[in-house]
Amino acid sequence: MADGDSPVVFKRSKARPGQRTREKSPDAAAAANASLNEAEDSPITLASKLRNKTKRAKPKAKLSFGGDNEGEDKEVFQVKKSSLGQKLTLGKNASNALPMSLDQATITSRSNGPVYDATYLAELKASTQSNRPPPVDSNDTDISMNIVENPPEDAPVSLLDESTVIPSESSINVAKQRRERLRKSAVTQEEDFISLSVTRRDDLASGPHPESRLVREEDELGEGDDEYAEYTSAQERIALGKKSRKAEASKRRDEINEMIVDAEEEDEETAEWEQAQLRRTGQHAAEDSGPTKQVYRAAPIPPSTNLPSLGPAIDRLAQSLAALTTSHVTNTTSMNTLVEERDQLDTRESELRKLVESAEAKRSWFVAFREWIENVAAFLDDKYPKVESLEDEHVAVLKERFGMVSQRRKADDEDDLSLVFGSLPTTQATDSEELDELGRIKPQANPAALRRERRTARVNRRSARKATKSQGIDADEEGYSTDDSLPPSDALDYRSAMQRISNDAKSILSDVRASDFKDPRKGLAKWFGEWRGLYGDSYTGAWGGLGLVSAWEFWVRLEMLGWDPLEESQSLDDFGWYSALHEFSQDSNEGEGAPEGDLVSAMISTAVTPRLCKLIEGGAFDPYSNAAVRKVVDLTEQIEASIGSDHYKYLALLKSVVSVFEQAVTDAESLAGPYVALNRPVFDPDAIGARQRLLLRSIKLTGNMMRWRKYTGEKYGIGELCTRLSTRCFVRVAVSGWEVGGEEKARQLLSMLPRDLNSTVERHMPSRT
């Protein structure tokens, strides 16, 4: 200590666990005195203590304050520093403490600090050792420290001199050179330093690294686990029994309670001691000075104020009232707004609920509708091929009938051309060889005999028609007759084929039991009508009407199967599908027409018109028949009124009719060309009648084309066809008998032709005289 090096004695107001431990240990006071004088021990005492520590088999406890307790199982007192004491590191003198700031680092004298005067410096120099202690003789088994009585001459300082002498530079250099020589010569007999080891190096174990001069503490003093067993729990034992575990838990609780008591306990004397130590080091903290004594002070009397007057008080009340009124109005407005928002939210909620319900109903309806449509699609996939097959068969029957009529008309024209221009050579007149059922070549009959037979048959047919008077045919009208009636056997076969097609069409739905698949008015009209009524926007956006027409087309084609539009009197508006679609188009929620328009016209353009084109091109239309031309004109007018004159389906129908006329003109040119080129007439009284029949047949075909041209105009070259027929067929036949009726028929033809065609045909006729 700085003040007379006297130990500081402090007292506690109440006993602590450390105090009880010192009271139980009789050597506690001796250990305390030994710890105070430990700094003043000589090197010999330190070596003895180190030797005794090495000889002990069991390591001693750390931080003991003197006295060997070897063999005694007593508790050793340990100093427990306070929090403030742990922060400070005090030397023997309070002056060794570092200043807290630069302001405190001054050489000026302080009242409570050391004074660096001559006396203090001399005392400090006397207590400071500058030389090493004398070396220890390693051969002494008693480990006694032999102090060299006569030091060598080169020793810088006498070891026995109590006064401190600072060695000179020459003595320091001599000592360094001597140590270097000893190190190089490896002389270890004489050591000029005090060894810290209490035994010879040779007596000690070389350890794991004998070449190293460094010695680990565990190699010298024993296992480190034994020394630090208190902290590493190396010597603790695991309690296995019930009582041992109970005792161990009780001991652990006691230790915890003791640490809690030590932490919570506050000693006034300890606090005063810590403050004294702080004052000695010059560290004065305002916050550590302790609580100051509170002095009672009376509350100050406020200054007197004037009494408020009535006017300012009324003004303040008026302002407060206005503020409250404004706040009330604002709150009322906010409340009304919230009420309106709540009502709107309630209304919106009810609307959303309705929307959800309607969406769910819509979803359910469309799910059912989709299932029904899928069933309809499967039904049509099964039935459509049968309808298409019957349609192809119907067209084939019509084509066969038209071929038979055309072939007979061609044979009649060949007979008449043979009478007018002469017979063709056999190689040109004979047809290709025909085979019978067994593959044999049919024998060819004599052409003259065949012509006589055909003429006899033709006369008989016309006589029969005259007898019936159904046609009112006179002799002058010979050649106008189309003569499209079939022989009885062929006519019976034709009627049988048409009846079979009709029966097959009825049998397509014979296996169907559901009424909505038999009658589209109960199925398609019902579902699509509900769709249009419930969800009109979706129906219009998805073109529901066209979807209905596409699905209804099957039943339309099935109903029209076997219908010959140019022979039967039944028209389009006589069918059931026509009236059903018309009713569906007019039946709407608003009482007006359907949003997609008239579905009848859509059905005519989709299904009816293509079917009519196939029938006309397949042989249903005879260009030499006046009745067929009138019928096809009426049918075309009805379709034009329904779908319009600029519709491509309508134009396709016109082209189909013109193609039939064109084929007839081409056949007439190819038939008359070889006979006109031969031009070898022979005298035959029947040639005049034959020429008249040829000219009348050409006039009839030209009249039919003019009737069609009057309706359609000059479309697809119908006027050119009339010119070709007149110039290449009619004029050549008329010139061959110009004086015997040819000129008269030519004038009749020119009267039928329009002015733009009349001049072209007249240029090919002989000039009039």
Side-chain angles (χ1 to χ4, degrees):
M1 299 297 177
D3 298 338
D5 296 335
S6 61
V8 178
V9 180
F10 55 88
K11 296 181 181 181
R12 291 189 175 90
S13 60
K14 56 182 178 179
R16 297 182 65 182
Q19 293 177 348
R20 290 193 298 270
T21 304
R22 288 195 298 271
E23 292 174 359
K24 293 180 183 179
S25 302
D27 298 335
N33 296 329
S35 63
L36 294 175
N37 299 327
E38 187 179 40
E40 299 177 358
D41 291 343
S42 61
I44 299 175
T45 307
L46 292 175
S48 300
K49 290 181 179 181
L50 185 59
R51 180 193 59 189
N52 295 334
K53 184 177 181 181
T54 306
K55 288 183 178 182
R56 296 189 190 99
K58 184 177 181 181
K60 294 170 60 178
K62 295 177 63 178
L63 302 178
S64 62
F65 286 86
D68 287 336
N69 296 329
E70 185 177 358
E72 296 180 5
D73 189 9
K74 295 182 179 180
E75 186 176 359
V76 181
F77 171 75
Q78 296 181 356
V79 178
K80 297 181 180 179
K81 296 183 180 181
S82 62
S83 59
L84 183 58
Q86 293 176 0
K87 296 178 182 178
L88 297 176
T89 304
L90 299 177
K92 293 182 179 181
N93 297 319
S95 60
N96 295 335
L98 297 176
M100 296 298 294
S101 63
L102 294 176
D103 297 337
Q104 300 176 2
T106 177
I107 60 176
T108 59
S109 61
R110 291 179 294 181
S111 61
N112 56 351
V115 180
Y116 295 96
D117 52 3
T119 306
Y120 179 76
L121 292 175
E123 182 183 355
L124 180 61
K125 184 177 181 181
S127 62
T128 301
Q129 285 187 355
S130 60
N131 295 336
R132 293 184 300 274
V136 181
D137 189 3
S138 59
N139 296 325
D140 189 3
T141 57
D142 295 337
I143 317 301
S144 61
M145 304 299 293
N146 297 327
I147 301 175
V148 180
E149 298 179 357
N150 298 320
E153 297 178 356
D154 55 354
V157 182
S158 176
L159 297 176
L160 300 178
D161 191 3
E162 294 180 358
S163 61
T164 302
V165 179
I166 299 175
S168 62
E169 182 179 359
S170 60
S171 60
I172 292 174
N173 294 332
V174 170
K176 288 183 178 180
Q177 293 174 3
R178 181 174 177 272
R179 289 176 183 172
E180 186 67 23
R181 289 195 305 270
L182 293 176
R183 186 180 298 109
K184 292 180 179 180
S185 60
V187 177
T188 59
Q189 297 298 331
E190 297 181 2
E191 296 179 353
D192 58 347
F193 60 91
I194 300 175
S195 178
L196 297 179
S197 176
V198 297
T199 59
R200 290 178 177 270
R201 184 178 300 274
D202 297 337
D203 297 339
L204 297 177
S206 60
H209 303 284
E211 68 280 358
S212 176
R213 298 178 60 189
L214 300 177
V215 180
R216 295 184 300 178
E217 186 176 358
E218 56 268 22
D219 297 339
E220 182 181 5
L221 302 179
E223 295 294 334
D225 295 340
D226 297 338
E227 183 178 0
Y228 301 103
E230 182 180 356
Y231 306 101
T232 60
S233 302
Q235 296 180 356
E236 291 186 0
R237 298 294 183 267
I238 298 176
L240 300 178
K242 183 176 181 182
K243 293 182 179 181
S244 301
R245 290 195 298 271
K246 186 174 182 181
E248 186 71 22
S250 177
K251 182 180 179 180
R252 189 180 300 108
R253 285 194 299 271
D254 294 342
E255 293 177 355
I256 294 173
N257 293 332
E258 183 178 353
M259 288 187 290
I260 293 173
V261 170
D262 292 342
E264 294 179 352
E265 189 176 22
E266 184 178 359
D267 191 358
E268 296 180 359
E269 295 182 359
T270 305
E272 292 179 359
W273 178 81
E274 291 176 352
Q275 294 298 328
Q277 299 303 319
L278 287 175
R279 286 193 297 273
R280 291 181 63 187
T281 57
Q283 299 177 1
H284 300 282
E287 61 274 7
D288 296 338
S289 61
T292 59
K293 185 177 180 179
Q294 296 181 358
V295 180
Y296 172 76
R297 295 181 181 179
I301 299 175
S304 60
T305 57
N306 298 328
L307 295 176
S309 60
L310 184 61
I314 292 176
D315 293 339
R316 289 194 301 271
L317 290 176
Q319 292 177 1
S320 301
L321 180 61
L324 291 176
T325 303
T326 304
S327 176
H328 175 71
V329 171
T330 303
N331 294 335
T332 303
T333 305
S334 301
M335 184 179 64
N336 295 333
T337 304
L338 293 176
V339 171
E340 293 178 358
E341 291 180 356
R342 186 186 62 182
D343 295 340
Q344 293 177 0
L345 291 176
D346 294 339
T347 305
R348 183 60 179 169
E349 181 182 2
S350 61
E351 293 177 356
L352 291 176
R353 291 182 181 277
K354 292 179 180 179
L355 288 176
V356 171
E357 293 176 358
S358 61
E360 178 62 23
K362 183 177 181 180
R363 186 195 66 81
S364 303
W365 188 88
F366 273 102
V367 168
F369 180 64
R370 183 180 62 183
E371 293 178 356
W372 187 83
I373 287 295
E374 290 177 355
N375 295 333
V376 172
F379 170 78
L380 295 179
D381 290 341
D382 182 49
K383 301 298 182 180
Y384 242 122
K386 299 179 181 179
V387 174
E388 292 175 351
S389 177
L390 292 177
E391 288 178 348
D392 295 340
E393 186 176 353
H394 183 209
V395 173
V397 171
L398 293 177
K399 184 178 294 186
E400 184 178 0
R401 187 195 66 171
F402 181 76
M404 296 173 62
V405 174
S406 299
Q407 187 66 26
R408 188 172 61 185
R409 186 183 299 118
K410 179 181 178 181
D412 293 342
D413 291 341
E414 287 179 352
D415 295 342
D416 294 338
L417 289 172
S418 299
L419 293 175
V420 174
F421 297 100
S423 299
L424 295 175
T426 305
T427 55
Q428 299 181 3
T430 57
D431 297 332
S432 60
E433 296 179 351
E434 297 180 1
L435 302 178
D436 57 6
E437 297 178 355
L438 300 178
R440 295 173 297 183
I441 299 175
K442 293 182 178 180
Q444 295 293 336
N446 188 2
L450 290 176
R451 283 195 294 269
R452 285 193 298 270
E453 292 178 1
R454 286 195 295 268
R455 188 178 299 115
T456 302
R458 183 169 54 251
V459 170
N460 294 334
R461 287 195 305 272
R462 292 175 180 175
S463 300
R465 286 198 298 272
K466 287 180 180 181
T468 57
K469 296 181 181 180
S470 59
Q471 299 294 335
I473 299 176
D474 298 334
D476 296 338
E477 295 179 354
E478 184 70 17
Y480 281 99
S481 176
T482 305
D483 199 9
D484 56 354
S485 60
L486 296 176
S489 59
D490 295 337
L492 181 61
D493 294 340
Y494 173 75
R495 289 191 296 270
S496 299
M498 296 302 297
Q499 185 63 32
R500 182 175 54 82
I501 291 174
S502 179
N503 295 334
D504 292 342
K506 294 179 181 178
S507 65
I508 290 178
L509 299 179
S510 60
D511 57 342
V512 180
R513 297 292 181 267
S515 59
D516 52 350
F517 287 101
K518 286 186 175 182
D519 190 356
R521 290 173 293 184
K522 298 180 181 179
L524 288 174
K526 171 181 173 296
W527 280 98
F528 279 85
E530 290 182 359
W531 185 11
R532 183 180 62 185
L534 296 176
Y535 314 106
D537 296 339
S538 175
Y539 177 84
T540 305
W543 301 91
L546 297 181
L548 174 66
V549 170
S550 300
W552 206 318
E553 182 181 353
F554 167 77
W555 284 273
V556 172
R557 293 172 64 175
L558 181 62
E559 188 177 359
M560 293 175 57
L561 192 61
W563 173 56
D564 191 350
L566 302 181
E567 287 189 357
E568 299 179 8
S569 60
Q570 187 179 10
S571 60
L572 292 177
D573 52 0
D574 295 334
F575 287 99
W577 61 265
Y578 190 96
S579 58
L581 284 177
H582 183 72
E583 293 175 0
F584 181 84
S585 300
Q586 297 300 323
D587 186 12
S588 60
N589 297 332
E590 293 82 6
E592 301 177 356
E596 67 275 5
D598 189 8
L599 297 180
V600 176
S601 60
M603 182 62 70
I604 290 175
S605 64
T606 302
V608 177
T609 305
R611 178 62 181 169
L612 290 177
C613 293
K614 289 184 179 180
L615 293 177
I616 291 174
E617 294 176 358
F621 174 59
D622 188 357
Y624 289 92
S625 175
N626 294 332
V629 172
R630 287 193 302 267
K631 191 71 174 179
V632 75
V633 170
D634 295 340
L635 188 61
T636 306
E637 288 178 351
Q638 187 177 2
I639 293 175
E640 180 186 5
S642 180
I643 64 177
S645 59
D646 54 348
H647 200 279
Y648 72 97
K649 294 291 183 67
Y650 170 75
L651 298 178
L653 179 62
L654 298 183
K655 187 174 182 180
S656 298
V657 176
V658 172
S659 65
V660 176
F661 283 117
E662 184 179 3
Q663 185 64 34
V665 173
T666 302
D667 293 340
E669 289 178 357
S670 61
L671 181 62
Y675 289 95
V676 173
L678 180 61
N679 196 11
R680 292 178 181 179
V682 295
F683 177 78
D684 192 344
D686 296 333
I688 298 175
R691 185 181 294 106
Q692 293 293 328
R693 286 192 297 269
L694 290 173
L695 295 176
L696 289 176
R697 188 173 290 117
S698 297
I699 291 173
K700 185 177 183 180
L701 181 59
T702 303
N704 290 337
M705 288 189 293
M706 287 297 100
R707 190 177 292 111
W708 179 256
R709 186 176 183 271
K710 183 179 179 180
Y711 167 68
T712 61
E714 188 61 34
K715 288 185 178 180
Y716 302 106
I718 188 66
E720 182 181 356
L721 292 178
C722 295
T723 304
R724 285 172 53 189
L725 180 63
S726 300
T727 57
R728 298 181 183 182
C729 295
F730 180 84
V731 173
R732 293 179 180 181
V733 175
V735 170
S736 64
W738 189 257
E739 294 80 5
V740 290
E743 183 180 2
E744 181 182 358
K745 299 302 179 183
R747 292 176 181 178
Q748 184 179 354
L749 178 63
L750 292 175
S751 63
M752 296 173 56
L753 294 177
R755 183 174 301 177
D756 55 342
L757 301 179
N758 197 341
S759 59
T760 304
V761 176
E762 190 174 5
R763 285 197 301 268
H764 291 79
M765 292 182 180
S767 59
R768 298 177 183 179
T769 57

